[in-house]
C-alpha cells in the first residue's frame, strides 16, 4: 500500500518537474492556418509591445501569405531586411510562381529564397516562443504546419576588450564579453580541434540563459564531464544572471570559504585548462567562464606563468605564496607576538613596538580590528566609487586618515605597517576570490590569536589545512599535487619547471591523455652533434 | 568499512607511521638516554631503533599472514572469539590512554613554554576537537593530513636544530662505549618505548593499498624516525651538554630556546618550535585516536565508526586531565609505554606464534 502511495507521490513530483523544466514545451504543434498560428503566438506574447509581427504576401497576386515575428532590438535589422524580406517580397515578384502550397513550396522558400545563414524548421509553439525571445526571427507560412526559424540574433554589445581583473604584462589582451557565442568563438579560435565539444543547455525558468560546457574529448575524463552535466541539470533556479549563480549552485561544499570552480575572464586560460583536461562552463550575459575541477594551487597561478621564462615565474610564484601567508596571518601574528610572546621578538624590535604603542589607548586586538575593518571599508568604497574618485578615496583614506590616526595616537605606526603589508599581500594573489576569502579568514585568525596567541593561530591553520585536505572539487583533491604526491607533478607547483621538462599533464583532472610535451629538441641537437646540450 | 576510498598508499602509510612515532620522544628522549648512558646516549637510540624494527617485523609478518583481515578477525581465528574481544578491548583502552597522554603532554609543554596562564583544559579540549574534526573523515584523509604536514614539520626541525651547530661542542659525545652492558640494555629497551605508535599498524593492516609492501613501509618509517631521533639527541648533547640534558624536563625544547635565529628575525625560536610541536602532537593524536575508534568499530562490527569517536571523547578528556602534575604525567607516560610493548609487540608475537603452531592463515588477497 505504501509502495503505491510512494509511487503516486513520485509521479506527481515528476509532473511538477516537467512543468518547471527549462526546455521548451514541444507538445503543442503548429496549426495549418496561419491566422490561427499567429493568434496562439499572440496569446503567449500578449502585452509584449516589443514583439513585431510583419505580415506580407509573396509573389504575384498576393496569394502566399507569410508572417515574420521577431523582437525589436534583439535582431539584426539588416539581416531581416536584406536576407528575408527582400528575397521573399521583391525577387519573387519578377518570376511567376506556381501556386502550389505544400512541402515543395516550403522547401523552395527554405532552400532557394532565404539568403540568411542559419535556417531551421520547427513544428511546435515552444520553440517558436523561445526562438522569438532569444532574438531569432520566425517565418510562418500559410497552409503549413511548420515554420522556419532564422538566426538573426544581434544586439548592442560590448566588444572584445582587455580583461580588467586579470591583467597580464605578457599575453593576449582579449577577454570574454557578455555574449555567449562570442565567448565560445574566442575559445574555439585557440583550439582548432574537432574534439573540442560544446554542449549548450538552457538554465533559469525566467532567464532561459544559454549555458555551455566545453571540454576536449579524449582528454577530459568522461566522469568529470558527466558530473558537471549532471549537476547543471539539477539546477532549477528562476534566474541565471551571472556565472556566479551557477558556481554557487553546483559547487560541492557551499560551507567552504574557498571557490571550488576557477573563474576567468581570459580565453587563453580556458584554452590552456581545457587542454589540461578541465571542463569549462560558459554562461551567457557574463564575461566570466567557470572551470572545473580546480585546485588550491591553480588559484595562485596567473596565465602569464606559462608565457614567461621559468626562473622568473618560479620566483614570482614563491613570492605569491609568501604574500598569501602574510595576507592570511600577518595581523594575527602581530597580535600573538605583542600580546602573548613578546619574548620571541628581538629585544630592539619589541622595545620599539612598545614605544610606538605607548600613547595608544586600545589593546592590540582592538587596534588591529579597527585598522583591518577600516581598510576593508576603504577597499569597498574604492570599488563602488567611479574611477577618479576611487583613487581619491585611497589617498584620503590611506594617507590622510591613516596619518592623522597615528598622530592622534589612536593607532600605532607599526599597526599601519602591519595592515598595509597585509592588504598589499592579499592583492598579490592572482585570484580575487581566494584573496577575498583569505581576508575573511584573517578575521577568524585574529580572533583565535587574541584568545590563545600563537597556539590559536596554529589551531586555525591546522583547521584550515584539514578543511582543504578534505575538500574536493568535482572529484579532484583541492590540494591536489601535494596529496598523493608524484615527483613528476612537482614541476608545476610552488615553482614552475622549464616548459620542455613538463612532459605530462597535471594529474588532478585525471586526464585520459597524459602527454603534454614530447621533448624533441634532443633529436635535432644529437644530429648536430652537440653533446653538451644534452640533459 | 569506512568510506569508499579508505585505502592508504605506501608513501601515505610511511608518513603516517613516522608522524605517529615522532612526538613526545622529540622532547624527552635526549634526557632519557642521557640518564641511562650519558654520552653514549646516541648509541641507545640506534639500538632502540633496531629493537623497534625487530618488533615491527612481528607486526608486519602478522599482516602478511592475514592480508585484508582486521586484528580482531585473525585473532578470533587463532585464539577464539572471547579472547579476541578481550584483546580488542584492551587495545581500545590502550589507545585511549595513548591519545590522552599525547594530548596531555602537549598541554603541559604548551603551558610551560607558550601560554603560561591559559587553562590546561582549554588546550586539551581544543586539541581534541581539532583531532576529531579530521578523524571523522576517515583514515585516508588522516593519512593525507600527515602527508601534507610531514615536510612542514621535518624541514623546519632540521633547519632549527642546525642553528645550534655553531655553538656545538662535539667533545660532549666523546667517551664512547663507556656504559656498562646492563644499563645499555635497559636504556635501549626504554628507548624502544619511544617508538610507541608503531602498533597502529596492527589496525591499519586491512586499509593498506599494497599490503605486500608492508616490510618496506616498516623499515623506512622506523628507520627515518630513528634518524630524526638520533639527530635530535646528538644536537641536544652537543648543544647543551650531557650533564645539563639530564637535568632538564624537556631538553628538546630548551635547546631551541637557546638558539638565536640568524639575522635576528626572531629573538628566540621557541614559539616557532611550539608551532611545530603542535603539528607533531596533532598528527600523533590523530592516528592514535583514529586507531582506537577503528578497533572499537572492528570489535562491534558496526556499520560506521564515527560513533565510537564520540564514545571515546569524554574518556580521553578524563584521562588527559587526570594526572595532577608533571611527575604524575611522566608516570602515566611510562605506563602507556609499557602498554605499547604489551599490545604492540608481545600480544602480536604470541598470536603470530600460535598461528604458526596452529597453521592458521588468512586468504591470499
Amino acid at each position: 500500500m505504501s509502495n503505491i502511495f510512494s509511487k503516486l507521490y513520485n509521479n506527481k513530483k515528476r509532473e511538477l518537474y516537467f512543468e518547471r523544466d527549462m526546455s521548451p514545451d514541444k507538445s503543442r504543434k503548429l496549426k495549418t492556418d496561419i491566422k490561427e498560428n499567429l493568434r496562439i503566438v499572440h496569446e503567449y506574447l500578449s502585452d509584449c509591445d516589443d514583439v513585431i509581427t510583419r505580415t506580407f504576401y509573396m509573389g504575384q497576386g498576393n496569394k502566399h501569405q507569410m508572417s515574420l515575428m521577431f523582437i525589436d532590438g534583439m535582431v539584426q535589422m539588416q539581416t531581416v531586411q536584406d536576407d528575408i524580406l527582400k528575397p521573399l517580397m521583391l525577387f519573387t515578384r519578377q518570376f511567376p510562381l506556381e501556386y502550389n502550397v505544400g512541402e515543395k513550396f516550403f522547401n523552395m522558400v527554405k532552400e532557394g529564397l532565404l539568403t540568411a545563414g542559419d535556417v531551421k524548421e520547427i513544428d511546435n509553439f515552444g520553440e517558436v516562443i523561445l526562438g522569438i525571445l532569444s532574438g531569432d526571427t520566425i517565418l510562418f507560412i500559410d497552409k503549413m504546419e511548420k515554420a522556419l526559424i532564422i538566426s538573426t540574433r544581434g544586439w548592442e554589445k560590448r566588444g572584445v576588450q582587455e580583461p580588467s581583473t586579470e591583467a597580464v604584462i605578457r599575453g593576449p589582451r582579449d577577454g570574454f564579453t557578455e555574449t555567449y557565442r562570442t565567448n565560445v568563438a574566442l575559445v574555439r579560435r585557440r583550439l582548432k580541434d574537432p574534439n573540442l565539444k560544446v554542449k549548450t543547455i538552457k538554465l533559469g525558468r525566467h532567464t532561459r540563459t544559454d549555458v555551455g560546457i566545453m571540454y576536449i574529448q579524449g582528454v577530459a575524463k568522461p566522469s568529470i564531464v558527466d558530473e558537471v552535466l549532471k549537476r547543471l541539470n539539477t539546477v532549477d533556479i528562476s534566474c541565471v544572471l551571472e556565472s556566479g549563480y551557477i558556481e554557487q549552485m553546483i559547487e560541492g561544499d557551499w560551507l567552504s570559504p574557498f571557490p571550488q570552480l576557477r573563474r576567468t575572464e581570459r580565453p587563453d586560460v580556458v584554452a590552456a585548462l581545457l587542454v589540461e583536461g578541465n571542463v569549462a562552463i560558459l554562461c551567457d550575459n557574463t564575461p566570466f567562464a567557470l572551470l572545473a575541477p580546480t585546485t588550491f594551487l591553480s588559484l595562485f597561478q596567473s596565465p602569464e606563468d606559462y608565457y614567461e621564462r621559468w626562473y622568473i615565474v618560479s620566483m614570482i610564484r614563491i613570492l605569491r605564496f609568501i604574500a598569501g601567508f602574510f595576507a592570511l596571518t600577518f595581523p594575527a601574528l602581530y597580535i600573538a607576538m605583542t600580546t602573548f610572546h613578546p619574548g620571541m621578538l628581538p629585544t630592539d624590535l619589541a622595545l620599539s613596538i612598545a614605544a610606538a604603542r605607548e600613547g595608544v589607548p586600545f589593546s592590540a586586538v582592538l587596534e588591529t580590528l579597527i585598522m583591518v575593518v577600516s581598510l576593508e571599508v576603504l577597499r569597498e568604497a574604492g570599488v563602488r566609487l567611479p574611477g577618479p574618485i576611487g583613487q581619491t578615496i585611497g589617498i584620503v583614506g590611506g594617507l590622510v586618515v591613516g596619518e592623522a590616526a597615528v598622530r592622534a595616537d589612536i593607532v600605532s605606526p607599526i599597526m599601519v605597517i602591519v595592515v598595509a603589508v597585509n592588504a598589499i599581500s592579499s592583492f598579490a594573489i592572482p585570484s580575487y576570490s581566494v584573496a577575498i576569502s583569505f581576508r575573511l579568514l584573517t578575521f577568524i585568525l585574529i580572533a583565535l590569536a587574541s584568545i590563545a596567541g600563537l597556539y590559536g593561530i596554529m589551531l586555525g591553520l591546522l583547521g584550515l589545512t584539514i578543511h582543504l585536505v578534505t575538500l574536493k572539487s568535482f572529484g579532484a583533491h583541492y590540494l591536489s599535487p601535494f596529496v598523493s604526491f608524484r615527483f613528476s607533478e612537482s614541476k608545476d607547483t610552488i615553482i614552475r619547471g622549464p616548459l620542455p621538462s613538463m612532459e605530462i599533464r597535471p594529474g588532478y583532472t585525471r586526464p585520459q591523455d597524459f602527454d603534454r610535451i614530447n621533448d624533441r629538441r634532443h633529436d635535432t641537437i644529437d644530429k648536430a652533434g652537440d653533446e653538451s646540450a644534452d640533459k | 568499512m569506512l568510506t569508499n576510498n579508505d585505502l592508504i598508499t605506501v608513501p601515505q602509510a610511511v608518513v603516517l607511521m613516522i608522524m605517529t612515532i615522532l612526538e613526545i620522544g622529540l622532547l624527552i628522549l635526549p634526557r632519557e638516554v642521557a640518564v641511562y648512558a650519558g654520552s653514549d646516549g646516541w648509541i641507545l637510540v640506534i639500538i632502540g631503533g633496531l629493537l623497534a624494527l625487530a618488533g615491527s617485523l612481528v607486526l608486519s609478518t602478522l599482516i602478511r599472514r592475514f592480508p585484508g583481515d582486521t586484528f580482531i578477525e585473525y585473532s578470533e581465528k587463532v585464539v577464539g572469539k572471547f579472547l579476541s574481544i578481550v584483546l580488542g578491548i584492551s587495545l581500545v583502552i590502550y589507545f585511549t590512554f595513548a591519545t590522552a597522554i599525547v594530548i596531555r603532554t602537549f598541554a603541559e609543554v604548551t603551558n610551560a613554554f607558550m601560554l603560561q596562564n591559559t587553562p590546561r583544559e582549554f588546550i586539551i579540549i581544543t586539541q581534541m576537537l581539532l583531532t576529531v574534526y579530521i578523524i571523522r573523515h576517515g583514515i585516508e584523509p588522516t593519512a593525507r593530513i600527515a602527508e601534507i604536514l610531514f615536510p612542514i614539520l621535518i624541514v623546519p626541525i632540521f633547519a632549527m636544530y642546525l642553528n645550534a651547530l655553531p655553538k656545538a661542542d662535539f667533545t660532549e659525545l666523546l667517551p664512547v662505549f663507556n656504559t656498562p652492558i646492563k644499563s645499555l640494555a635497559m636504556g635501549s629497551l626504554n628507548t624502544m618505548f619511544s617508538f610507541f605508535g608503531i602498533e597502529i599498524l596492527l589496525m591499519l593492516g586491512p586499509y593498506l593499498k599494497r599490503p605486500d609492501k608492508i616490510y618496506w613501509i616498516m623499515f623506512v618509517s622506523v628507520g627515518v624516525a630513528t634518524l630524526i631521533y638520533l639527530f635530535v639527541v646528538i644536537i641536544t648533547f652537543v648543544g647543551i651538554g650531557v650533564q645539563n640534558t639530564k637535568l632538564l624536563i624537556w631538553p628538546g625544547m630548551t635547546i631551541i630556546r637557546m638558539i638565536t635565529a640568524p639575522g635576528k628575525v626572531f629573538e628566540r625560536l621557541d614559539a616557532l618550535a611550539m608551532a611545530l610541536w603542535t603539528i607533531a602532537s596533532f598528527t600523533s593524536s590523530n592516528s592514535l585516536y583514529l586507531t582506537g575508534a577503528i578497533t572499537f568499530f572492528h570489535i562491534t562490527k558496526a556499520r560506521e565508526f564515527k560513533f565510537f569517536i564520540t564514545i571515546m571523547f569524554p574518556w580521553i578528556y578524563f584521562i588527559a586531565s587526570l594526572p595532577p602534575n608533571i611527575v604524575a604525567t611522566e608516570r602515566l607516560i611510562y605506563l602507556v609505554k609499557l602498554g605499547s610493548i604489551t599490545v604492540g609487540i608481545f600480544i602480536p608475537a604470541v598470536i603470530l606464534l600460535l598461528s604458526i603452531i596452529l597453521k592458521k592463515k588468512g586468504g591470499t588477497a
Side-chain angles (χ1 to χ4, degrees), chain B residues 281-337:
Chain B
S281 165
F282 166 68
T283 46
S284 205
S285 60
N286 275 352
S287 31
L288 291 170
Y289 197 161
L290 179 70
T291 316
I294 285 179
T295 317
F296 220 143
F297 160 72
H298 285 166
I299 294 172
T300 55
K301 300 191 166 62
R303 263 185 39 238
E304 60 146 352
F305 80 107
K306 285 177 189 168
F307 177 61
F308 302 108
I309 298 174
T310 324
I311 290 187
M312 285 170 74
F313 193 91
W315 292 103
I316 293 175
Y317 174 72
F318 173 69
I319 296 164
S321 36
L322 201 57
N325 50 36
I326 294 178
V327 181
T329 315
E330 289 264 306
R331 222 172 284 149
L332 199 60
I333 292 175
Y334 190 69
L335 204 69
V336 168
K337 284 177 172 175

Side-chain angles (χ1 to χ4, degrees), chain A residues 340-341 343-347 451-452 454-455 458-459 462-463 466-467 469-470 472 477 479 482-485, chain B residues 5 106 114-115 122-123 126-127 130 133-134 137 144-145 147-148 264-268 271 275 279 282:
Chain A
F340 286 88
H341 325 285
M344 194 181 155
L345 294 170
T347 319
I451 294 168
L454 203 61
Y455 174 59
M458 277 314 287
L459 276 182
L462 280 177
I466 295 173
H467 172 70
V469 158
T470 52
K472 281 190 170 185
H477 290 305
L479 283 181
F482 299 121
V483 292
S484 49
F485 186 76
Chain B
N5 52 352
F106 172 74
M114 194 156 66
L115 302 166
F122 171 79
I123 300 169
T126 45
Q127 188 78 2
L130 204 62
Y133 179 31
I134 177 65
H137 289 95
R144 250 187 275 152
I145 272 282
E147 203 183 2
I148 293 268
K264 274 214 161 189
V265 185
F266 300 112
E267 181 85 354
R268 297 197 319 251
I279 294 176
F282 166 68

Side-chain angles (χ1 to χ4, degrees), chain B residues 112-315:
Chain B
F113 287 92
M114 194 156 66
L115 302 166
Q116 278 84 2
N117 302 323
T118 308
R120 195 192 296 135
E121 287 73 22
F122 171 79
I123 300 169
I124 292 175
I125 286 277
T126 45
Q127 188 78 2
M128 282 179 72
L129 286 177
L130 204 62
T131 300
V132 169
Y133 179 31
I134 177 65
I135 64 175
R136 275 180 63 81
H137 289 95
I139 181 165
E140 205 262 345
T142 311
R144 250 187 275 152
I145 272 282
E147 203 183 2
I148 293 268
L149 294 178
F150 179 69
I152 299 178
L153 177 68
I154 297 302
V155 174
I157 280 187
F158 273 88
M160 226 160 41
Y161 278 96
L162 282 178
N163 279 322
L165 277 184
K167 287 182 191 164
D169 177 13
F170 279 93
T171 52
E172 290 283 348
L173 296 174
L174 256 191
V176 190
F177 301 118
N178 213 10
T179 323
I181 293 295
K182 197 187 162 201
S183 62
L184 208 62
M186 287 299 291
S188 312
L189 217 59
N190 194 48
T191 314
M192 183 187 165
F193 293 173
S194 286
F195 286 85
F196 89 87
I198 52 174
E199 60 275 2
I200 62 161
L201 213 73
L202 210 56
M203 283 301 127
L204 301 191
Y207 302 109
L208 293 172
K209 217 174 226 171
R210 298 278 306 272
D212 50 316
K213 291 255 187 170
I214 184 78
Y215 289 109
W216 196 84
I217 293 173
M218 268 302 173
F219 180 75
V220 172
S221 49
V222 175
V224 171
T226 311
L227 285 180
I228 292 171
Y229 274 154
L230 192 64
F231 175 76
V232 170
V233 165
I234 289 178
I235 290 284
T236 314
F237 278 12
V238 301
I240 49 182
V242 177
Q243 291 311 315
N244 296 332
T245 310
K246 284 182 188 172
L247 300 174
L248 297 164
I249 303 175
W250 292 299
M253 204 65 199
T254 311
I255 184 168
I256 292 167
R257 281 204 133 170
M258 295 167 55
I259 299 168
T260 307
K264 274 214 161 189
V265 185
F266 300 112
E267 181 85 354
R268 297 197 319 251
L269 288 171
D270 54 344
L272 199 62
M274 278 309 303
L276 297 176
W277 168 234
T278 314
I279 294 176
S281 165
F282 166 68
T283 46
S284 205
S285 60
N286 275 352
S287 31
L288 291 170
Y289 197 161
L290 179 70
T291 316
I294 285 179
T295 317
F296 220 143
F297 160 72
H298 285 166
I299 294 172
T300 55
K301 300 191 166 62
R303 263 185 39 238
E304 60 146 352
F305 80 107
K306 285 177 189 168
F307 177 61
F308 302 108
I309 298 174
T310 324
I311 290 187
M312 285 170 74
F313 193 91
W315 292 103

Side-chain angles (χ1 to χ4, degrees), chain A residues 144-206:
Chain A
M144 285 302 295
E145 285 176 329
K146 287 188 281 190
L148 288 172
I149 179 164
I150 303 145
S151 179
T152 52
R153 294 184 196 192
W155 45 80
E156 295 303 318
K157 60 189 178 194
R158 195 168 62 96
V160 175
Q161 285 171 351
E162 189 175 354
S164 53
T165 58
E166 286 166 283
V168 294
I169 294 168
R170 179 169 181 178
R173 294 282 190 268
D174 54 347
F176 284 133
T177 70
E178 280 78 8
T179 316
Y180 170 65
R181 285 292 165 197
T182 313
N183 295 350
V184 173
L186 281 172
V187 177
R188 175 73 83 177
R189 232 182 61 201
R190 287 175 166 78
L191 298 171
K192 297 175 191 72
D193 183 351
N195 290 322
L196 174 65
K197 306 294 178 195
V198 186
K199 283 185 185 169
T200 309
I201 57 172
K202 290 197 188 298
L203 284 185
R205 287 197 297 277
H206 295 295

